[in-house]
């Protein structure tokens, strides 16, 4: 699989390049700040983007114009950037995930199921921790876990509370808290808590090395080639769910 890797000098870009050959992929172009990925598009089969949220919309539009599938690993997109990227999915298939780890995507799946099955007296809270260099918060994975809870409970987005401060009053049943911790060199840790009457259920995932995300992203790159236009999640790639996002 010939791949154009955008964001090649970043932590994830370097991790992807390091395992590409083992995963049956070939990086035909490594692009980063100062280079133009557009000129390399004709030579690739799939584009993998781990650059920055500001760069992804322009790249997605170029991919759409040239019919190149896209794997998106950037997070922290503004509403305008998100809409521009989604518009491109009418022309090309793309895998768009906040986290490409197999374990994390199983965590998201289990969180959705637990939220659906447990009564509202089991209060959901999401806690994530990353290294001090991470620029966005909450993490893309925490946002995916939040979506899973909201879907499972059939709650509106207004039920989300990103951290607490001051005199907040009693916690309502229809609320899901999301909390971001930053420090040190933590690759990524995520915990979902369902705190019920007299018991607590927790789902946790801890990443020890970025190679798990790199291998997952390359799995997505091989999978998305030849798919119909639309936005796919890692749940589809791993066979946990079916279909595409509207």
């Amino acid at each position: 699989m010939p791949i154009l890797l955008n964001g090649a000098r970043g932590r994830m870009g370097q991790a992807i390049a390091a395992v590409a050959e083992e995963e049956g992929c070939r990086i035909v172009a490594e692009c980063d700040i100062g280079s133009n990925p557009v000129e390399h598009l004709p030579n690739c089969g799939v584009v993998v983007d781990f650059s920055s949220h500001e760069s992804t919309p322009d790249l997605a539009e170029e991919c759409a114009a040239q019919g190149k599938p896209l794997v998106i690993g950037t997070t922290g997109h503004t509403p305008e950037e998100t809409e521009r990227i989604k518009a491109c999915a009418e022309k090309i298939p793309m895998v768009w995930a906040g986290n490409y780890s197999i374990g994390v995507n199983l965590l998201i799946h289990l969180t959705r199921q637990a939220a659906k099955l447990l009564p509202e007296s089991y209060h959901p809270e999401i806690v994530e921790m990353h290294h001090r260099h991470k620029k966005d918060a909450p993490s893309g994975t925490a946002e995916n876990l939040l979506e899973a809870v909201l879907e499972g409970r059939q709650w509106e987005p207004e039920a989300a509370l990103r951290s607490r401060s001051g005199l907040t009053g009693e916690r309502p049943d229809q609320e899901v808290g999301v909390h971001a911790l930053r420090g040190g060199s933590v690759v990524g840790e995520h915990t979902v808590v369902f705190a019920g009457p007299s018991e607590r259920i927790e789902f946790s995932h801890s990443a020890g090395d970025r190679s798990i995300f790199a291998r997952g992203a390359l799995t997505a790159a091989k999978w998305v080639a030849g798919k119909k236009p639309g936005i796919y999640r890692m749940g589809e790639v791993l066979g946990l769910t079916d279909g595409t996002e509207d």
Side-chain angles (χ1 to χ4, degrees):
M1 175 60 66
I3 290 174
L4 187 160
L5 177 59
N6 196 38
R9 291 201 295 268
R11 292 179 180 84
M12 275 301 304
Q14 293 179 57
I16 289 170
V19 300
E21 186 175 351
E22 294 177 29
E23 296 297 317
C25 299
R26 179 168 54 93
I27 308 298
V28 295
E30 295 187 11
C31 301
D32 212 296
I33 297 173
S35 57
N36 183 12
V38 177
E39 64 188 37
H40 300 288
L41 282 176
N43 301 320
C44 75
V46 177
V47 176
V48 176
D49 180 36
F50 276 85
S51 56
S52 65
H53 69 89
E54 301 98 333
S55 301
T56 301
D58 288 341
L59 181 60
E61 288 167 356
E62 292 291 345
C63 288
Q66 298 193 33
K68 299 296 182 179
L70 175 63
V71 174
I72 300 174
T74 56
T75 58
H77 306 96
T78 66
E80 180 184 359
E81 290 167 349
T82 298
E83 290 306 311
R84 288 177 60 192
I85 296 168
K86 284 185 174 181
C88 297
E90 297 177 4
K91 297 181 179 179
I92 57 170
M94 57 177 71
V95 179
W96 193 356
N99 193 303
Y100 284 89
S101 156
I102 291 175
V104 161
N105 283 280
L106 180 58
L107 171 65
I108 293 169
H109 178 71
L110 294 174
T111 297
R112 184 180 293 106
Q113 294 302 309
K116 181 178 180 180
L117 294 171
L118 293 170
E120 289 190 353
S121 57
Y122 285 73
H123 302 143
E125 297 281 318
I126 299 166
V127 182
E128 58 98 343
M129 183 169 187
H130 284 81
H131 53 87
R132 69 182 185 92
H133 300 289
K134 187 167 179 61
K135 296 179 181 178
D136 60 310
S139 68
T141 302
E143 294 289 354
N144 292 155
L145 291 166
L146 171 60
E147 290 174 11
V149 172
L150 295 176
E151 289 171 9
R153 289 281 166 92
Q154 296 185 327
W155 288 348
E156 296 299 321
E158 290 73 23
L161 179 65
R162 290 167 176 80
S163 193
R164 296 184 177 87
S165 179
L167 189 62
T168 60
E170 183 175 325
R171 185 198 197 280
D173 285 340
Q174 291 194 7
E175 180 177 278
V176 49
V178 186
H179 315 279
L181 311 181
R182 295 290 178 268
S185 57
V186 178
V187 175
E189 296 179 358
H190 295 85
T191 298
V192 181
V193 179
F194 289 91
S198 302
E199 65 177 349
R200 186 173 71 247
I201 301 167
E202 296 185 6
F203 299 101
S204 294
H205 178 272
S206 179
D209 190 277
R210 285 186 178 81
S211 65
I212 63 172
F213 311 125
R215 295 182 191 279
L218 292 172
T219 297
K222 291 182 286 186
W223 181 90
V224 77
K227 291 294 186 293
K228 295 179 181 179
I231 298 176
Y232 299 86
R233 302 300 189 184
M234 278 299 285
E236 283 88 68
V237 176
L238 300 174
L240 297 173
T241 57
D242 296 321
T244 63
E245 182 187 84
D246 293 333

